[in-house]
Amino acid sequence: SLAGVMVVLGVQAMRAEEIQGRAEPVLATATSRRLWFVSYLTVITTGLVGLLLTVGLTAGVGAALSVGDGSYIGRVTAAHLAHPPGVLVMLGIAAVLFGWVPRAIGLTWVVLGYGLFNGLFGAIANVPQLLRNLLPMEHTGNPPLDSLDWPAMTTLLVIAAGLAAVGLAGFGRRNLEAK
């Protein structure tokens, strides 16, 4: 999904700042590693929610106009806002890789690619449910067809925060790399 691409590219931008030597001068000031890392993740998270809100709202308006029922605006918008917890887990995975093994950040594309494959072809290819359950996006329900799974969404948010914290711990311990 576009949201997953945005998340992966956001973390790769952090890596590019480091590799190209632009992070080091910033971190040599009063800006701490923690603040730098968390600010990037905050901007990515805000962008993710903003993107899904905008897409949901415009899709909801389009659905409402096409069927003449204004209730679609809220339902379709809410359906799109069910996805951030799963995508934030992907952000957490990228943060862990960036923090501990920055050269492996590209592995996040494998998670995204598997998610896209599963979403488009998982049912057709008869991907076993056990393998489908590995994807965080599988656990939030399929609104507006299904109701939101609030316990799963909360669990995913806790997992995402935990992964981000692990990534931050790794980033705080390792040396910066530059070309």
Side-chain angles (χ1 to χ4, degrees):
S1 84
L2 183 61
V5 170
M6 186 189 84
V7 163
V8 175
L9 289 176
V11 176
Q12 285 186 323
M14 291 171 64
R15 177 71 173 148
E17 291 291 308
E18 176 185 5
I19 294 265
Q20 295 170 0
R22 292 190 297 254
E24 192 170 347
V26 172
L27 295 173
T29 67
T31 304
S32 68
R33 283 178 171 239
R34 176 184 174 89
L35 179 62
W36 187 80
F37 188 90
V38 170
S39 66
Y40 257 94
L41 295 187
T42 301
V43 168
I44 295 167
T45 300
T46 303
L48 168 68
V49 173
L51 173 71
L52 291 174
L53 178 64
T54 303
V55 170
L57 187 61
T58 54
V61 168
L65 289 174
S66 68
V67 297
D69 182 357
S71 69
Y72 277 91
I73 296 171
R75 285 191 278 167
V76 174
T77 302
H80 280 77
L81 291 176
H83 297 291
V87 181
L88 288 173
V89 169
M90 189 179 322
L91 175 60
I93 292 168
V96 167
L97 289 172
F98 175 73
W100 289 93
V101 191
R103 292 182 182 182
I105 191 70
L107 291 176
T108 312
W109 289 106
V110 174
V111 176
L112 179 61
Y114 177 62
L116 290 172
F117 172 81
N118 189 51
L120 294 171
F121 305 111
I124 297 169
N126 291 324
V127 174
Q129 190 62 43
L130 178 67
L131 292 178
R132 296 180 90 176
N133 288 342
L134 293 174
L135 292 168
M137 288 72 77
E138 283 287 314
H139 301 285
T140 58
N142 191 18
L145 302 175
D146 301 329
S147 61
L148 295 174
D149 188 345
W150 290 105
M153 290 175 65
T154 303
T155 301
L156 288 171
L157 288 172
V158 168
I159 291 169
L163 288 169
V166 169
L168 176 60
F171 182 65
R173 293 175 187 256
R174 71 174 175 81
N175 292 328
L176 293 179
E177 297 178 19
K179 285 186 178 179

